[in-house]
Amino acid sequence: MLKLDIDYKTPYEELNEKIRTASDKHIQINNCVGQRYIAAGLSGKEIDIEGIPGNALGAYLDDSVIRVQGNVQDATGDTMNAGEIVVYGCAGDATGYAMRGGKIYIRGNTGYRAGIHMKAYKEQQPVIVIGGEAGSFLGEYQAGGIIIVLGLDLPKKLDGRDYAGHPYKRPDVGDFLGTGMHGGKIYIRLHGNEEPEVPEYIVKEKLHGSEISEIKSYLEQFCSYFDDVDLKELVESDFVVLSPNKEKPYKQTYCVN
């Protein structure tokens, strides 16, 4: 295994060149401080990262595995093709932007626009599993793939109001859920809070976890990475499943000719 000890002065171009040219299949990066584009387009390697990588971690990833013992910034897994990215902390905005294959597992939260423009092709089925909360515009313009939000470790409500005294709102997904969604599915675990509001071009169905065979393997894999999560609890939960409404599809365009 190749060990790369870096710091904030290490240019990302230098780091990425060492990764690309390394003969070792397994690489460990220590003290990562915001270096961008790590493992972009990389195939056939296994990378462990200690610290916080910068934007576009694993962009165009092609069948490599990345594990991050910390948080990640924006656009993690941008347009990735295959492989896995496992984040033991939280992720920034646009996680899985336009990803077309592979899997991203996040123990904590993710920011805005996770899964935007996700797509699937034949056996290529991209998957994002979010352990905590997701920001607004989750699954925006989603064309394929699977997004799962588990809502673990959410803050408790106080007499119908949050800690700031505002009316309590389901905290695990933000506003504008599934805006422009025309493919794929979004699974949101329910835990006593209200179901999300969605536009008419999205179909909403409530199912018990044991009835959803499609996501069982992803939940099992999630719990294998994050051993503080109880698989039985997830499987015995209720989920709301969002999918495009074929009778009233999304038709809005950016402009009118």
Side-chain angles (χ1 to χ4, degrees), residues 20-55:
R20 284 193 296 270
T21 59
S23 58
D24 299 72
K25 295 295 185 182
H26 191 181
I27 299 170
Q28 180 176 321
I29 302 171
N30 297 318
N31 305 315
C32 187
V33 188
Q35 281 80 8
R36 296 173 286 170
Y37 312 121
I38 295 176
L42 195 68
S43 61
K45 292 193 176 181
E46 184 178 347
I47 300 177
D48 289 297
I49 301 175
E50 189 85 29
I52 301 177
N55 290 356

mmCIF file of all heavy atoms in Angstrom, residues 20-55:
data_model
loop_
_atom_site.group_PDB
_atom_site.id
_atom_site.type_symbol
_atom_site.label_atom_id
_atom_site.label_comp_id
_atom_site.label_asym_id
_atom_site.label_seq_id
_atom_site.Cartn_x
_atom_site.Cartn_y
_atom_site.Cartn_z
ATOM 1 N N ARG A 20 -2.312 8.692 -10.019
ATOM 2 C CA ARG A 20 -2.456 8.096 -11.355
ATOM 3 C C ARG A 20 -1.271 7.214 -11.737
ATOM 4 O O ARG A 20 -1.437 6.185 -12.390
ATOM 5 C CB ARG A 20 -2.642 9.200 -12.399
ATOM 6 C CG ARG A 20 -4.025 9.821 -12.429
ATOM 7 C CD ARG A 20 -4.202 10.655 -13.679
ATOM 8 N NE ARG A 20 -3.289 11.796 -13.704
ATOM 9 C CZ ARG A 20 -3.573 12.989 -13.210
ATOM 10 N NH1 ARG A 20 -4.758 13.195 -12.647
ATOM 11 N NH2 ARG A 20 -2.700 13.979 -13.270
ATOM 12 N N THR A 21 -0.080 7.610 -11.355
ATOM 13 C CA THR A 21 1.122 6.889 -11.786
ATOM 14 C C THR A 21 1.568 5.813 -10.807
ATOM 15 O O THR A 21 2.517 5.074 -11.093
ATOM 16 C CB THR A 21 2.274 7.880 -11.995
ATOM 17 O OG1 THR A 21 2.535 8.588 -10.770
ATOM 18 C CG2 THR A 21 1.934 8.885 -13.096
ATOM 19 N N ALA A 22 0.904 5.698 -9.672
ATOM 20 C CA ALA A 22 1.308 4.713 -8.655
ATOM 21 C C ALA A 22 1.063 3.293 -9.162
ATOM 22 O O ALA A 22 0.014 2.990 -9.749
ATOM 23 C CB ALA A 22 0.548 4.942 -7.358
ATOM 24 N N SER A 23 2.024 2.427 -8.925
ATOM 25 C CA SER A 23 1.845 1.018 -9.277
ATOM 26 C C SER A 23 1.010 0.284 -8.232
ATOM 27 O O SER A 23 0.436 -0.767 -8.510
ATOM 28 C CB SER A 23 3.211 0.333 -9.418
ATOM 29 O OG SER A 23 3.945 0.440 -8.207
ATOM 30 N N ASP A 24 0.932 0.835 -7.020
ATOM 31 C CA ASP A 24 0.138 0.241 -5.948
ATOM 32 C C ASP A 24 -1.352 0.373 -6.263
ATOM 33 O O ASP A 24 -1.821 1.438 -6.686
ATOM 34 C CB ASP A 24 0.423 0.936 -4.615
ATOM 35 C CG ASP A 24 1.879 0.818 -4.194
ATOM 36 O OD1 ASP A 24 2.717 1.493 -4.829
ATOM 37 O OD2 ASP A 24 2.172 0.072 -3.247
ATOM 38 N N LYS A 25 -2.096 -0.666 -6.007
ATOM 39 C CA LYS A 25 -3.541 -0.626 -6.196
ATOM 40 C C LYS A 25 -4.247 0.057 -5.019
ATOM 41 O O LYS A 25 -5.315 0.628 -5.177
ATOM 42 C CB LYS A 25 -4.087 -2.049 -6.371
ATOM 43 C CG LYS A 25 -3.601 -2.744 -7.631
ATOM 44 C CD LYS A 25 -4.112 -2.053 -8.877
ATOM 45 C CE LYS A 25 -3.727 -2.805 -10.128
ATOM 46 N NZ LYS A 25 -4.185 -2.116 -11.365
ATOM 47 N N HIS A 26 -3.620 -0.040 -3.819
ATOM 48 C CA HIS A 26 -4.210 0.529 -2.612
ATOM 49 C C HIS A 26 -3.389 1.745 -2.194
ATOM 50 O O HIS A 26 -2.175 1.643 -2.005
ATOM 51 C CB HIS A 26 -4.239 -0.515 -1.499
ATOM 52 C CG HIS A 26 -5.058 -0.102 -0.312
ATOM 53 N ND1 HIS A 26 -5.191 -0.891 0.811
ATOM 54 C CD2 HIS A 26 -5.783 1.021 -0.056
ATOM 55 C CE1 HIS A 26 -5.955 -0.277 1.688
ATOM 56 N NE2 HIS A 26 -6.326 0.896 1.187
ATOM 57 N N ILE A 27 -4.054 2.887 -2.041
ATOM 58 C CA ILE A 27 -3.375 4.139 -1.712
ATOM 59 C C ILE A 27 -4.044 4.767 -0.495
ATOM 60 O O ILE A 27 -5.280 4.860 -0.428
ATOM 61 C CB ILE A 27 -3.427 5.122 -2.891
ATOM 62 C CG1 ILE A 27 -2.732 4.519 -4.115
ATOM 63 C CG2 ILE A 27 -2.782 6.462 -2.525
ATOM 64 C CD1 ILE A 27 -2.935 5.299 -5.382
ATOM 65 N N GLN A 28 -3.238 5.214 0.451
ATOM 66 C CA GLN A 28 -3.749 5.903 1.628
ATOM 67 C C GLN A 28 -3.246 7.344 1.616
ATOM 68 O O GLN A 28 -2.043 7.586 1.530
ATOM 69 C CB GLN A 28 -3.301 5.207 2.916
ATOM 70 C CG GLN A 28 -3.816 5.890 4.179
ATOM 71 C CD GLN A 28 -3.444 5.121 5.435
ATOM 72 O OE1 GLN A 28 -3.473 3.892 5.438
ATOM 73 N NE2 GLN A 28 -3.096 5.834 6.487
ATOM 74 N N ILE A 29 -4.186 8.297 1.716
ATOM 75 C CA ILE A 29 -3.841 9.719 1.728
ATOM 76 C C ILE A 29 -4.108 10.268 3.117
ATOM 77 O O ILE A 29 -5.235 10.192 3.620
ATOM 78 C CB ILE A 29 -4.672 10.490 0.688
ATOM 79 C CG1 ILE A 29 -4.443 9.916 -0.713
ATOM 80 C CG2 ILE A 29 -4.325 11.972 0.708
ATOM 81 C CD1 ILE A 29 -5.385 10.477 -1.764
ATOM 82 N N ASN A 30 -3.091 10.821 3.748
ATOM 83 C CA ASN A 30 -3.215 11.360 5.097
ATOM 84 C C ASN A 30 -3.169 12.884 5.081
ATOM 85 O O ASN A 30 -2.459 13.493 4.289
ATOM 86 C CB ASN A 30 -2.092 10.824 5.989
ATOM 87 C CG ASN A 30 -2.154 9.317 6.149
ATOM 88 O OD1 ASN A 30 -3.230 8.749 6.322
ATOM 89 N ND2 ASN A 30 -1.007 8.661 6.069
ATOM 90 N N ASN A 31 -3.936 13.492 5.986
ATOM 91 C CA ASN A 31 -3.942 14.951 6.175
ATOM 92 C C ASN A 31 -4.429 15.707 4.942
ATOM 93 O O ASN A 31 -3.927 16.783 4.620
ATOM 94 C CB ASN A 31 -2.551 15.457 6.568
ATOM 95 C CG ASN A 31 -2.001 14.758 7.782
ATOM 96 O OD1 ASN A 31 -2.713 14.580 8.781
ATOM 97 N ND2 ASN A 31 -0.750 14.338 7.725
ATOM 98 N N CYS A 32 -5.422 15.163 4.263
ATOM 99 C CA CYS A 32 -5.986 15.834 3.088
ATOM 100 C C CYS A 32 -6.669 17.127 3.514
ATOM 101 O O CYS A 32 -7.454 17.150 4.473
ATOM 102 C CB CYS A 32 -6.989 14.905 2.408
ATOM 103 S SG CYS A 32 -7.612 15.512 0.842
ATOM 104 N N VAL A 33 -6.372 18.215 2.787
ATOM 105 C CA VAL A 33 -6.932 19.523 3.145
ATOM 106 C C VAL A 33 -7.431 20.217 1.872
ATOM 107 O O VAL A 33 -6.785 21.114 1.342
ATOM 108 C CB VAL A 33 -5.903 20.423 3.857
ATOM 109 C CG1 VAL A 33 -6.577 21.683 4.388
ATOM 110 C CG2 VAL A 33 -5.219 19.684 4.985
ATOM 111 N N GLY A 34 -8.575 19.779 1.361
ATOM 112 C CA GLY A 34 -9.241 20.491 0.285
ATOM 113 C C GLY A 34 -8.701 20.259 -1.111
ATOM 114 O O GLY A 34 -9.108 20.968 -2.047
ATOM 115 N N GLN A 35 -7.813 19.302 -1.305
ATOM 116 C CA GLN A 35 -7.317 19.042 -2.661
ATOM 117 C C GLN A 35 -8.467 18.540 -3.550
ATOM 118 O O GLN A 35 -9.221 17.662 -3.156
ATOM 119 C CB GLN A 35 -6.177 18.021 -2.645
ATOM 120 C CG GLN A 35 -4.827 18.579 -2.240
ATOM 121 C CD GLN A 35 -4.645 18.728 -0.743
ATOM 122 O OE1 GLN A 35 -5.494 18.278 0.030
ATOM 123 N NE2 GLN A 35 -3.562 19.343 -0.314
ATOM 124 N N ARG A 36 -8.576 19.107 -4.741
ATOM 125 C CA ARG A 36 -9.693 18.824 -5.646
ATOM 126 C C ARG A 36 -9.393 17.684 -6.622
ATOM 127 O O ARG A 36 -8.247 17.308 -6.810
ATOM 128 C CB ARG A 36 -10.042 20.087 -6.455
ATOM 129 C CG ARG A 36 -10.552 21.238 -5.604
ATOM 130 C CD ARG A 36 -10.712 22.478 -6.448
ATOM 131 N NE ARG A 36 -9.423 23.076 -6.773
ATOM 132 C CZ ARG A 36 -9.248 24.055 -7.658
ATOM 133 N NH1 ARG A 36 -10.288 24.513 -8.334
ATOM 134 N NH2 ARG A 36 -8.049 24.544 -7.886
ATOM 135 N N TYR A 37 -10.472 17.186 -7.207
ATOM 136 C CA TYR A 37 -10.415 16.216 -8.308
ATOM 137 C C TYR A 37 -9.686 14.925 -7.956
ATOM 138 O O TYR A 37 -9.179 14.232 -8.840
ATOM 139 C CB TYR A 37 -9.751 16.831 -9.539
ATOM 140 C CG TYR A 37 -10.274 18.195 -9.902
ATOM 141 C CD1 TYR A 37 -9.431 19.295 -9.960
ATOM 142 C CD2 TYR A 37 -11.627 18.384 -10.175
ATOM 143 C CE1 TYR A 37 -9.910 20.554 -10.279
ATOM 144 C CE2 TYR A 37 -12.116 19.640 -10.494
ATOM 145 C CZ TYR A 37 -11.256 20.717 -10.547
ATOM 146 O OH TYR A 37 -11.745 21.963 -10.867
ATOM 147 N N ILE A 38 -9.619 14.566 -6.686
ATOM 148 C CA ILE A 38 -8.915 13.336 -6.310
ATOM 149 C C ILE A 38 -9.582 12.132 -6.974
ATOM 150 O O ILE A 38 -10.799 11.972 -6.928
ATOM 151 C CB ILE A 38 -8.893 13.174 -4.777
ATOM 152 C CG1 ILE A 38 -8.061 14.294 -4.134
ATOM 153 C CG2 ILE A 38 -8.340 11.818 -4.378
ATOM 154 C CD1 ILE A 38 -8.074 14.273 -2.632
ATOM 155 N N ALA A 39 -8.772 11.309 -7.612
ATOM 156 C CA ALA A 39 -9.205 10.076 -8.274
ATOM 157 C C ALA A 39 -10.147 10.322 -9.445
ATOM 158 O O ALA A 39 -10.909 9.436 -9.828
ATOM 159 C CB ALA A 39 -9.863 9.129 -7.269
ATOM 160 N N ALA A 40 -10.106 11.487 -10.039
ATOM 161 C CA ALA A 40 -10.970 11.775 -11.187
ATOM 162 C C ALA A 40 -10.684 10.798 -12.329
ATOM 163 O O ALA A 40 -9.541 10.642 -12.753
ATOM 164 C CB ALA A 40 -10.752 13.208 -11.659
ATOM 165 N N GLY A 41 -11.720 10.115 -12.788
ATOM 166 C CA GLY A 41 -11.600 9.178 -13.894
ATOM 167 C C GLY A 41 -10.806 7.922 -13.590
ATOM 168 O O GLY A 41 -10.476 7.165 -14.501
ATOM 169 N N LEU A 42 -10.522 7.670 -12.327
ATOM 170 C CA LEU A 42 -9.631 6.572 -11.942
ATOM 171 C C LEU A 42 -10.357 5.227 -11.983
ATOM 172 O O LEU A 42 -11.522 5.121 -11.611
ATOM 173 C CB LEU A 42 -9.092 6.814 -10.541
ATOM 174 C CG LEU A 42 -7.883 5.988 -10.102
ATOM 175 C CD1 LEU A 42 -6.649 6.399 -10.904
ATOM 176 C CD2 LEU A 42 -7.617 6.183 -8.611
ATOM 177 N N SER A 43 -9.657 4.198 -12.400
ATOM 178 C CA SER A 43 -10.220 2.850 -12.409
ATOM 179 C C SER A 43 -9.254 1.877 -11.744
ATOM 180 O O SER A 43 -8.035 2.061 -11.780
ATOM 181 C CB SER A 43 -10.516 2.395 -13.842
ATOM 182 O OG SER A 43 -9.332 2.372 -14.613
ATOM 183 N N GLY A 44 -9.818 0.853 -11.119
ATOM 184 C CA GLY A 44 -9.022 -0.257 -10.611
ATOM 185 C C GLY A 44 -8.199 0.005 -9.375
ATOM 186 O O GLY A 44 -7.252 -0.741 -9.102
ATOM 187 N N LYS A 45 -8.526 1.033 -8.580
ATOM 188 C CA LYS A 45 -7.744 1.302 -7.369
ATOM 189 C C LYS A 45 -8.644 1.490 -6.159
ATOM 190 O O LYS A 45 -9.852 1.695 -6.275
ATOM 191 C CB LYS A 45 -6.858 2.533 -7.573
ATOM 192 C CG LYS A 45 -5.750 2.306 -8.598
ATOM 193 C CD LYS A 45 -4.699 3.384 -8.587
ATOM 194 C CE LYS A 45 -3.579 3.046 -9.565
ATOM 195 N NZ LYS A 45 -2.504 4.063 -9.575
ATOM 196 N N GLU A 46 -8.015 1.411 -4.997
ATOM 197 C CA GLU A 46 -8.712 1.562 -3.715
ATOM 198 C C GLU A 46 -8.009 2.668 -2.942
ATOM 199 O O GLU A 46 -6.807 2.593 -2.693
ATOM 200 C CB GLU A 46 -8.664 0.243 -2.958
ATOM 201 C CG GLU A 46 -9.418 0.222 -1.654
ATOM 202 C CD GLU A 46 -9.367 -1.147 -0.990
ATOM 203 O OE1 GLU A 46 -8.971 -2.127 -1.654
ATOM 204 O OE2 GLU A 46 -9.708 -1.226 0.211
ATOM 205 N N ILE A 47 -8.753 3.701 -2.565
ATOM 206 C CA ILE A 47 -8.147 4.875 -1.943
ATOM 207 C C ILE A 47 -8.818 5.161 -0.602
ATOM 208 O O ILE A 47 -10.046 5.287 -0.521
ATOM 209 C CB ILE A 47 -8.266 6.109 -2.853
ATOM 210 C CG1 ILE A 47 -7.559 5.856 -4.181
ATOM 211 C CG2 ILE A 47 -7.682 7.346 -2.181
ATOM 212 C CD1 ILE A 47 -7.682 6.986 -5.169
ATOM 213 N N ASP A 48 -8.008 5.262 0.438
ATOM 214 C CA ASP A 48 -8.480 5.683 1.760
ATOM 215 C C ASP A 48 -7.969 7.086 2.026
ATOM 216 O O ASP A 48 -6.776 7.365 1.871
ATOM 217 C CB ASP A 48 -7.981 4.728 2.842
ATOM 218 C CG ASP A 48 -8.674 3.379 2.775
ATOM 219 O OD1 ASP A 48 -9.894 3.348 2.974
ATOM 220 O OD2 ASP A 48 -7.992 2.365 2.520
ATOM 221 N N ILE A 49 -8.883 7.975 2.444
ATOM 222 C CA ILE A 49 -8.532 9.375 2.656
ATOM 223 C C ILE A 49 -8.810 9.769 4.092
ATOM 224 O O ILE A 49 -9.921 9.582 4.595
ATOM 225 C CB ILE A 49 -9.311 10.297 1.703
ATOM 226 C CG1 ILE A 49 -9.007 9.936 0.246
ATOM 227 C CG2 ILE A 49 -8.972 11.760 1.968
ATOM 228 C CD1 ILE A 49 -9.827 10.716 -0.765
ATOM 229 N N GLU A 50 -7.801 10.325 4.733
ATOM 230 C CA GLU A 50 -7.934 10.877 6.083
ATOM 231 C C GLU A 50 -7.919 12.389 5.940
ATOM 232 O O GLU A 50 -6.943 12.967 5.465
ATOM 233 C CB GLU A 50 -6.774 10.416 6.951
ATOM 234 C CG GLU A 50 -6.912 10.749 8.427
ATOM 235 C CD GLU A 50 -7.716 9.716 9.204
ATOM 236 O OE1 GLU A 50 -7.720 8.544 8.811
ATOM 237 O OE2 GLU A 50 -8.331 10.104 10.208
ATOM 238 N N GLY A 51 -9.016 13.043 6.305
ATOM 239 C CA GLY A 51 -9.104 14.487 6.154
ATOM 240 C C GLY A 51 -10.303 14.877 5.312
ATOM 241 O O GLY A 51 -11.280 14.126 5.210
ATOM 242 N N ILE A 52 -10.226 16.044 4.699
ATOM 243 C CA ILE A 52 -11.356 16.568 3.929
ATOM 244 C C ILE A 52 -10.914 16.870 2.499
ATOM 245 O O ILE A 52 -10.215 17.854 2.247
ATOM 246 C CB ILE A 52 -11.929 17.844 4.572
ATOM 247 C CG1 ILE A 52 -12.389 17.548 6.000
ATOM 248 C CG2 ILE A 52 -13.096 18.380 3.745
ATOM 249 C CD1 ILE A 52 -12.905 18.748 6.750
ATOM 250 N N PRO A 53 -11.304 16.034 1.534
ATOM 251 C CA PRO A 53 -10.990 16.312 0.136
ATOM 252 C C PRO A 53 -11.845 17.461 -0.398
ATOM 253 O O PRO A 53 -12.938 17.725 0.114
ATOM 254 C CB PRO A 53 -11.303 15.004 -0.577
ATOM 255 C CG PRO A 53 -12.296 14.330 0.295
ATOM 256 C CD PRO A 53 -11.999 14.748 1.704
ATOM 257 N N GLY A 54 -11.362 18.111 -1.446
ATOM 258 C CA GLY A 54 -12.081 19.236 -2.030
ATOM 259 C C GLY A 54 -13.137 18.811 -3.035
ATOM 260 O O GLY A 54 -13.547 17.649 -3.088
ATOM 261 N N ASN A 55 -13.552 19.767 -3.860
ATOM 262 C CA ASN A 55 -14.631 19.537 -4.817
ATOM 263 C C ASN A 55 -14.291 18.434 -5.820
ATOM 264 O O ASN A 55 -13.132 18.189 -6.134
ATOM 265 C CB ASN A 55 -14.931 20.821 -5.585
ATOM 266 C CG ASN A 55 -15.594 21.872 -4.712
ATOM 267 O OD1 ASN A 55 -15.898 21.629 -3.547
ATOM 268 N ND2 ASN A 55 -15.819 23.044 -5.272
#
